[in-house]
Amino acid sequence: MTTKTAAEKALLKTKFFPFWLDNEAAPEPEAPLEENVQCDLLIVGAGFTGLWAAIHAKEANPQCDVVIIESECVAIGASGRPAAILSTSVMHGLDNSERLFPTEMDELERLGKENMDGFKKALVRYNIDCDIEWGGELTVAIGDGAIEDINGEYEIYKKYGHDAHFLDKAAVQKELNSPIFSAGMWSKKRSGTVHPAKLAWGLKRAALELGVRIYEYSPLLKSKHLKPGVLVTTPKGSVKANKVLLATNAFAAGSKKIKRRVSAIRDRIVVTEPLTDEQMAVIGWKNRQGIYDTRTQLNYMRLTSDNRILFGGRLGYFFNDNTDPVADKSAKNFLPLMTQFYKTFPSLANIKISHAWSGPIALTTRMAVHYQHYYNGDMIYAGGYSGFGVTASRFGARVGLEVLNKTDAPETKLEFASSLPGYIPPEPFRWLGAQLTMYALDTLDEKRGWRVPWVRLVEKMGFPVTPPV
Ligand SMILES: Cc1cc2nc3c(=O)[nH]c(=O)nc-3n(C[C@H](O)[C@H](O)[C@H](O)COP(=O)(O)OP(=O)(O)OC[C@H]3O[C@@H](n4cnc5c(N)ncnc54)[C@H](O)[C@@H]3O)c2cc1C
């Protein structure tokens, strides 16, 4: 008989389903499309991008006839599965923004802050209760070697006018008592955490109230250019639309070509049972920030409104961009994440995991939203936020509509909106490359050898991975 490890015991009664979606507040799905309909704007996919796009389109022109088709139900994709740590950056963080578009940083930062303020106002306007907490975001250094990275992050946040604070070891451990944290950078304003499914369900209600027609369990099967307009077919109906916005994220539905630049990576999360008052007193975390760390395979963590710890960040890739991997519905693939959890929270060695799941990340070389044009621009794909889209998707959807409508909005002239991320090799090279890269990143903090030149090669392809010098 083999003895079970602490992690195996913790995962014994786990539900392999997103905690956020396991909620009685989930609305009934809208009926599927079972007729042939027409509209001005068809949106494919009812995650944050699709829902925000529908709301923006209606706000801009209440007469615009908007239809959404969704292959399953609202928020079943990434939008019902994130850690949902909110960030102002619309380009996957300030470092990434500076890496990609250094000359447009000021404008991108301004747009990011404007987007977050608009996000906040929209929640009030549509009366969306989504357990929002404005505790800020905290980046923590793991080990003394990473303090320099935190300093760098602090400098760049300060430079672009964020309410950033450098925390030394004592100060960061006062915020969250983990023995492995050696410093931190706390950006206090315009960031925090949200219940992502409640947000998506609230956006769905708002869109319906604005007159958007939503059809769930109605996947796009194929599309045809009508010159002008597009005909989209679902299993039991069709939509003839003047314009189509593909908000299909890592699922890349709508055109086979999307995947040339978008890869479906899985990101994994575990959620504990609620902490007792005593456990909360030991770890601290009174300010309830959303937290990222500096590990090469980054971990992130936050509290839920009932004081569970959500802990995530162990990437995986499944052959052919599989967006529903069976392997992520059992304990084995979550054990490495548990190892990091115990290192971070040694005082919680006996805690049980109530939920575990993985979700689709639309990875591109840029890790930020871009637009692919099809059918002379009558249909565009808007996506690629990677792990950073809860609020950026509102921005991505808004600019996506400007691009689709071929307006002169200044945002559409910015490089992120007018150019494309790099190609990603097809299978089987994609799978092989992903396995090697993830293994290299997993073990880079402890070992070097071939990993350093390999990661350098991946960096040359355009991905934001930097091997240590
Ligand atoms: C584990 C994880 C952690 C994350 N953590 C954070 C975080 O802390 N902070 C943050 O900002 N971001 C985070 N993200 C990223 C964020 O969740 C996404 O960027 C965002 O939800 C993307 O929204 P979307 O609408 O573009 O995609 P999705 O929500 O994936 O929506 C795409 C929709 O298209 C539908 N679809 C697919 N095929 C078809 C078809 N043929 N016909 C019709 N519909 C179709 C899907 O069912 C899906 O509902 C995380 C993501 C994951 C997976």
Side-chain angles (χ1 to χ4, degrees):
M1 204 178 74
T2 51
T3 337
K4 288 204 165 17
T5 62
E8 284 167 336
K9 281 188 203 154
L11 287 157
L12 267 181
K13 294 200 174 152
T14 301
K15 209 166 180 177
F16 292 95
F17 185 72
F19 166 75
W20 308 121
L21 298 175
D22 188 14
N23 190 309
E24 285 173 0
E28 283 299 310
E30 301 303 301
L33 179 66
E34 294 187 341
E35 57 185 326
N36 302 325
V37 299
Q38 297 197 7
C39 63
D40 298 317
L41 171 66
L42 171 66
I43 295 164
V44 183
F48 293 136
T49 304
L51 294 164
W52 279 118
I55 291 171
H56 283 310
K58 277 292 193 186
E59 285 178 348
N61 175 10
Q63 306 311 318
C64 182
D65 188 6
V66 183
V67 167
I68 301 182
I69 56 169
E70 161 57 48
S71 67
E72 290 189 43
C73 57
V74 165
I76 194 65
S79 301
R81 294 163 188 267
I85 299 169
L86 308 179
S87 241
T88 45
S89 174
V90 284
M91 290 291 128
H92 203 285
L94 275 76
D95 279 342
N96 197 44
S97 205
E98 199 160 61
R99 169 184 84 96
L100 295 167
F101 311 115
T103 58
E104 295 177 347
M105 270 298 278
D106 286 327
E107 184 58 2
L108 289 168
E109 273 293 293
R110 187 192 67 74
L111 288 165
K113 287 175 187 160
E114 181 186 89
N115 180 56
M116 184 60 94
D117 293 343
F119 173 89
K120 213 170 167 177
K121 280 190 193 140
L123 297 188
V124 176
R125 187 177 328 125
Y126 297 114
N127 195 18
I128 297 175
D129 175 7
C130 50
D131 301 346
I132 200 146
E133 299 190 46
W134 296 102
E137 49 184 339
L138 174 63
T139 313
V140 293
I142 304 295
D144 290 348
I147 297 177
E148 210 181 305
D149 297 344
I150 293 292
N151 253 317
E153 191 157 335
Y154 169 69
E155 292 302 332
I156 188 171
Y157 268 71
K158 275 297 217 202
K159 182 174 163 192
Y160 290 101
H162 291 264
D163 182 24
H165 301 260
F166 182 87
L167 309 182
D168 63 14
K169 189 171 186 162
V172 75
Q173 295 199 354
K174 199 169 160 224
E175 290 304 319
L176 177 54
N177 185 11
S178 170
I180 60 172
F181 295 174
S182 48
M185 194 285 297
W186 183 6
S187 174
K188 285 192 174 176
K189 282 205 186 115
R190 288 202 182 91
S191 53
T193 55
V194 74
H195 187 307
K198 286 190 185 173
L199 170 61
W201 297 331
L203 294 175
K204 172 186 173 177
R205 178 180 46 74
L208 288 170
E209 283 169 9
L210 289 168
V212 175
R213 286 177 282 161
I214 303 179
Y215 299 97
E216 294 179 71
Y217 294 95
S218 304
L220 168 152
L221 295 180
K222 57 181 187 192
S223 67
K224 186 180 160 199
H225 197 197
L226 300 177
K227 301 180 190 170
V230 180
L231 180 71
V232 165
T233 312
T234 65
K236 291 187 178 168
S238 70
V239 189
K240 204 171 148 192
N242 297 338
K243 299 274 180 185
V244 178
L245 183 85
L246 300 172
T248 53
N249 187 31
F251 302 90
S255 169
K256 281 193 183 124
K257 291 183 187 161
I258 297 171
K259 282 190 185 169
R260 291 180 183 177
R261 299 171 196 273
V262 176
S263 179
I265 301 287
R266 302 300 291 185
D267 196 0
R268 303 189 178 98
I269 284 180
V270 294
V271 162
T272 67
E273 60 194 1
L275 268 62
T276 60
D277 291 347
E278 293 73 35
Q279 286 167 325
M280 283 298 289
V282 172
I283 64 164
W285 216 342
K286 288 201 181 73
N287 289 307
R288 307 177 68 85
Q289 304 92 334
I291 300 180
Y292 314 95
D293 71 23
T294 54
R295 289 175 174 108
T296 305
Q297 264 258 39
L298 156 137
N299 286 117
Y300 46 84
M301 57 213 90
R302 59 163 286 183
L303 289 167
T304 63
S305 62
D306 62 349
N307 288 343
R308 297 160 192 266
I309 294 177
L310 177 154
F311 189 84
R314 198 78 185 186
L315 300 176
Y317 176 78
F318 295 84
F319 194 75
N320 230 355
D321 295 277
N322 184 351
T323 49
D324 191 19
V326 178
D328 274 1
K329 287 168 191 151
S330 63
K332 188 169 154 265
N333 281 357
F334 295 89
L335 296 176
L337 187 55
M338 289 305 295
T339 306
Q340 301 306 327
F341 177 88
Y342 293 132
K343 278 188 193 164
T344 312
F345 299 104
S347 66
L348 299 175
N350 295 321
I351 199 144
K352 300 281 179 283
I353 299 299
S354 69
H355 295 75
W357 68 93
S358 71
I361 296 277
L363 184 81
T364 70
T365 56
R366 288 197 193 153
M367 303 184 73
V369 67
H370 73 286
Y371 306 105
Q372 296 187 24
H373 298 243
Y374 297 99
Y375 300 154
N376 288 336
D378 284 347
M379 177 167 95
I380 66 160
Y381 166 85
Y385 311 92
S386 302
F388 229 94
V390 173
T391 40
S393 53
R394 179 179 179 275
F395 171 78
R398 183 176 71 71
V399 179
L401 289 180
E402 304 284 3
V403 172
L404 187 59
N405 292 326
K406 300 187 173 115
T407 73
D408 281 334
E411 296 90 324
T412 63
K413 309 288 180 295
L414 294 175
E415 204 184 333
F416 87 91
S418 55
S419 66
L420 290 166
Y423 281 114
I424 306 176
E427 297 296 4
F429 308 106
R430 185 174 291 206
W431 182 83
L432 273 170
Q435 303 312 309
L436 271 176
T437 307
M438 279 169 200
Y439 181 71
L441 293 177
D442 271 357
T443 48
L444 196 62
D445 290 344
E446 291 85 35
K447 298 174 193 161
R448 300 269 171 119
W450 60 271
R451 295 164 187 81
V452 173
W454 176 261
V455 172
R456 207 163 278 144
L457 181 73
V458 176
E459 188 185 26
K460 277 218 171 79
M461 288 172 67
F463 291 100
V465 283
T466 315
V469 273

